[in-house]
Every structure is written in C-alpha cells, then in structure tokens.
Amino acid sequence: MEAFYSQSWCLCGLPFDVVDTSSAISALKRAIKEERPFFISTPNLNFLIAAQTDKAFRESVINSDLSVADGMPLIWMARLLKIPLPERVAGSNLMEALFAEKNGTPIRVYFFGGEPGAGERACQVINQANAGIRAVGHFCPGFGTIEAMSIDDIIDEINRHEIDFLIVALGARKGQAWIEKNRHRLKAPVISHLGAVINFFAGTVKRAPVWMQRIGLEWLWRILEEPSLWKRYFFDGLRFVKLLVVNVIPYAVWIRFNQKKLNETRPVVINTEEDDHNIKIYLIGACIDKTIAELRPVFKECVAKKKNILIDLQAVPVIDGAFLGLCLLLYKHLNEQGCQLSFQNINQQNKRIFRWNLVHFLIP
C-alpha cells in the first residue's frame, strides 16, 4: 500500500497521480521487473464526462494503480484549480516513448481488441523495427459482450504468451470493465486500455501533429481522421462547458479568495477510536496538501485492519483536492476489502468542496 505515499489529487471526481511521462514509464518498468500487477488508466475528457453518470466506470479509474491525465482540457482545469499535474501523459505518448528506446530488453506487448486485422498489422510494424517493445501476439474478440470476451479459452489464450504489457482496445467503458473483470486472472503485470494505440501502430489512423497536441486540438485532428467521432466530441464539449460553469470555475474563484486558508502548514492532528468492526478517525486542522503527511501512515495502518472507517471532519475548517485524492485511495482499498468509508460533521464550506470536486458520492 505504498500508494498512500504517492501524490494523488482529485479532479472532477477522479484521482490523478502527479507524474510526468518519464516517471510514468519508470513506474511501469518497475512493475514489469517486479512482476507486480499494475493497472494504468489514462482518463481523458471523455472518461471524465462518462464517470459522472457511470459508477462502475468511475470506480475502474479509482481502482487503478496509476491514473494519468490524457487530455489538455484536464491539464487546463488542473491549472485553474492549482493542482500540480506537470503535463499531459497520453497513453500514445507512453507507447511512442517505449517504442523509441533502443537499449535494454524490449518490453513484450500483446494487443487485445481493435478492428479486425489492426492487431496483426500493428504487430508486424513493431516487430519489423529495432524498437524498445516487441509484439508477442494479438487477439480480436469482435463486438460481443464482456462476458463473451471473458471465457476461459480467451483468458488462457492470452496467458499462454509471455506478456509484460497487455494493451486493451475495446472502447473506453467496455475496455475498463473488461480489465476490472479479468485483471486478477491475467498473468501480464501491466494492463491498460489504450484504444487508439493499435490503430496508430497499424497505420490506419495517424496521430495529430505535435503542435496540435500541445494546444489541445488533437480532437479536431481525430475528427478529420475518424469523422464518426464528431458526435462524441460535440456532446463531450457541451458537458465540458457545463462542468466548467457549475464546478470548476466556482471552485477556482473560491480558491483565489481563500489562499490564506490554503497556505496552512501545521500538520493535521489525528485521533482514533476503534471497536470490533469500525475505526473512527477524528481530524483537527486544515486537511490540505501541505498538512496531510501524517495522515498517510494512519490510513495505511487502518486499512490493514480491514474495518469500516468513519472520518469526523467537525474540527476541519478546510479541505482540498490533495485530501480528497487521498480519500479516494482510502475508498479504493476499503472497497477491495468489502469495507466502507464514511464521513460525519462536515461543515457547509467543505460540503461545497466535495460537490465542486464531484466526490459527493463519498457523502451520500
């Protein structure tokens, strides 16, 4: 549970790790070396919008071992909210960086999904190059249900290959759901849904020029390459505007006018009570990025006891996205154990911060 010591912030209801492309690749390689399960999610704006109404989809991101911001709109929102995400970490950029490496043992990748023939072509392109990745196989399951794609024969076919990195391309919701259903049955240490990567390697779709990626116009290029995407981008754009008006801008304005509260540096004071089934954590003081270091080992210790956790915020004047990101990590680990996280005595200001950050599902 070293995750409690990582820097993770909440943005619009999802956790995002404060990493750049280089550190994300390092984390991926460590997981491969240690043969440790490592589920990477790469939320973009479409993920963010879909997660507002799809609990299972939202929790698939929360359950990830690494969650990175794959979209300039997310980086723009993070800057407005003073969340220190250093850069966009696109799944395609991760793969391009791995492909470009020339030294060391190639990472063995396997493609699951994509259009018929795309996986085969992607494997051919990769294996014809002297690259940092080597394709060890592909499987196109068609367009059936998640259950049909999860039968033993399919999982066994994937597992018979020596895979370091399993790349799934089934459409975001179906892909995340398939990973959630099967990742504990799969032998590949690293798994991620990177929908467009197969097409990029196969050459059926071209990536946007770098300058368009940098200024947030990759969506326009994608529409030109795949006109059927226009409807998705149109409706995501409308919902993005609503998200800005209702949640992001009001919270950003509040942050600007409450900098004194958010500059507190005194560590939060922590008291706990415990019975056979529950742990109550009483917090005193501002629970923000600069003050919550002492909370990390406490959360880790409490999770190890496999009990429900109740956090009392009566003596907490203010919280921020770093605290909520830490709470999402706690929520994830408790869910895995069948335990619950709840809060009590939340002041009106902190309730607004929960709502602005779209984590009101934590305080139903």
Side-chain angles (χ1 to χ4, degrees):
M1 287 180 286
E2 295 306 313
F4 284 115
Y5 294 93
S6 64
Q7 195 178 6
S8 180
W9 285 66
C10 174
L11 173 62
C12 295
L14 296 180
F16 288 89
D17 292 287
V18 180
V19 295
D20 58 17
T21 301
S22 176
S23 52
I25 289 174
S26 296
L28 179 156
K29 287 183 175 180
R30 281 197 304 273
I32 292 172
K33 183 177 180 180
E34 297 167 6
E35 298 183 348
R36 170 171 44 87
F38 196 64
F39 174 23
I40 304 173
S41 284
T42 59
N44 54 22
L45 181 60
N46 181 251
F47 268 63
L48 203 70
I49 299 299
Q52 309 310 316
T53 55
D54 188 332
K55 178 183 177 183
F57 188 56
R58 178 182 70 227
E59 295 201 344
S60 74
V61 179
I62 293 173
N63 292 341
S64 305
D65 299 294
L66 182 70
S67 176
V68 295
D70 182 357
M72 285 309 298
L74 277 62
I75 299 300
W76 297 334
M77 287 190 288
R79 289 170 182 168
L80 274 175
L81 300 175
K82 298 187 180 296
I83 296 173
L85 298 182
E87 64 182 21
R88 177 193 179 199
V89 182
S92 300
N93 289 349
L94 290 176
M95 291 304 300
E96 287 177 358
L98 292 173
F99 182 80
E101 292 185 353
K102 302 298 182 184
N103 300 320
T105 304
I107 290 173
R108 297 165 299 198
V109 303
Y110 186 99
F111 295 112
F112 182 77
E115 296 289 334
E120 180 180 4
R121 177 59 183 157
C123 289
Q124 291 171 352
V125 170
I126 289 168
N127 290 339
Q128 285 170 359
N130 178 24
I133 59 176
R134 180 166 62 88
V136 297
H138 60 89
F139 189 94
C140 179
F143 302 96
T145 64
I146 293 170
E147 288 71 24
M149 297 179 184
S150 303
I151 61 174
D152 289 343
D153 286 350
I154 290 178
I155 301 302
D156 291 344
E157 168 61 22
I158 296 171
N159 282 338
R160 76 178 182 85
H161 297 79
E162 292 187 18
I163 305 169
D164 297 319
F165 189 178
L166 175 60
I167 297 169
V168 180
L170 301 173
R173 295 198 198 203
K174 182 180 281 188
Q176 291 284 117
W178 185 87
I179 292 171
E180 280 283 76
K181 182 177 179 63
N182 296 299
R183 62 191 176 111
H184 300 297
R185 302 165 62 198
L186 293 161
K187 295 179 180 179
V190 181
I191 304 174
S192 185
H193 183 273
L194 303 176
V197 163
I198 294 179
N199 291 332
F200 291 151
F201 276 115
T204 56
V205 177
K206 295 180 180 179
R207 281 207 75 185
V210 173
W211 69 268
M212 293 188 79
Q213 297 176 38
R214 288 176 177 167
I215 64 173
L217 287 179
E218 189 166 10
W219 61 272
L220 180 58
W221 179 271
R222 289 291 304 279
I223 290 175
L224 294 173
E225 286 284 303
E226 301 175 82
S228 61
L229 291 175
W230 77 267
K231 187 177 292 186
R232 189 191 93 180
Y233 283 114
F234 176 74
F235 285 107
D236 282 352
L238 292 179
R239 295 183 182 102
F240 176 52
V241 171
K242 180 180 178 181
L243 201 63
L244 285 174
V245 172
V246 176
N247 298 89
V248 176
I249 292 175
Y251 186 36
V253 171
W254 182 89
I255 288 172
R256 296 309 187 274
F257 283 95
N258 290 272
Q259 278 302 301
K260 186 175 180 181
K261 294 179 182 179
L262 297 171
N263 285 330
E264 177 63 70
T265 57
R266 288 174 294 182
V268 62
V269 176
I270 307 162
N271 296 308
T272 61
E273 292 180 358
E274 186 175 350
D275 60 29
D276 290 341
H277 303 289
N278 306 284
I279 300 173
K280 289 186 178 180
I281 303 175
Y282 297 88
L283 304 179
I284 304 170
C287 287
I288 57 176
D289 180 40
K290 301 178 182 68
T291 68
I292 59 173
E294 300 298 327
L295 257 181
R296 299 180 186 278
V298 172
F299 279 6
K300 180 179 178 181
E301 180 182 345
C302 289
V303 165
K305 295 180 179 180
K306 299 183 179 180
K307 297 181 180 181
N308 299 319
I309 294 178
L310 171 64
I311 300 177
D312 189 293
L313 298 178
Q314 183 171 15
V316 175
V318 66
I319 61 176
D320 72 355
F323 172 72
L324 293 175
L326 186 59
C327 288
L328 288 175
L329 283 171
L330 180 60
Y331 173 81
K332 163 192 169 180
H333 287 290
L334 291 177
N335 266 356
E336 289 174 351
Q337 299 172 348
C339 299
Q340 294 183 336
L341 171 65
S342 55
F343 297 83
Q344 68 179 20
N345 297 323
I346 311 171
N347 65 37
Q348 288 303 313
Q349 176 176 263
N350 287 337
K351 283 183 180 178
R352 285 197 298 272
I353 294 171
F354 268 90
R355 289 197 297 271
W356 283 330
N357 282 278
L358 293 164
V359 286
H360 40 284
F361 61 87
L362 292 177
I363 51 168

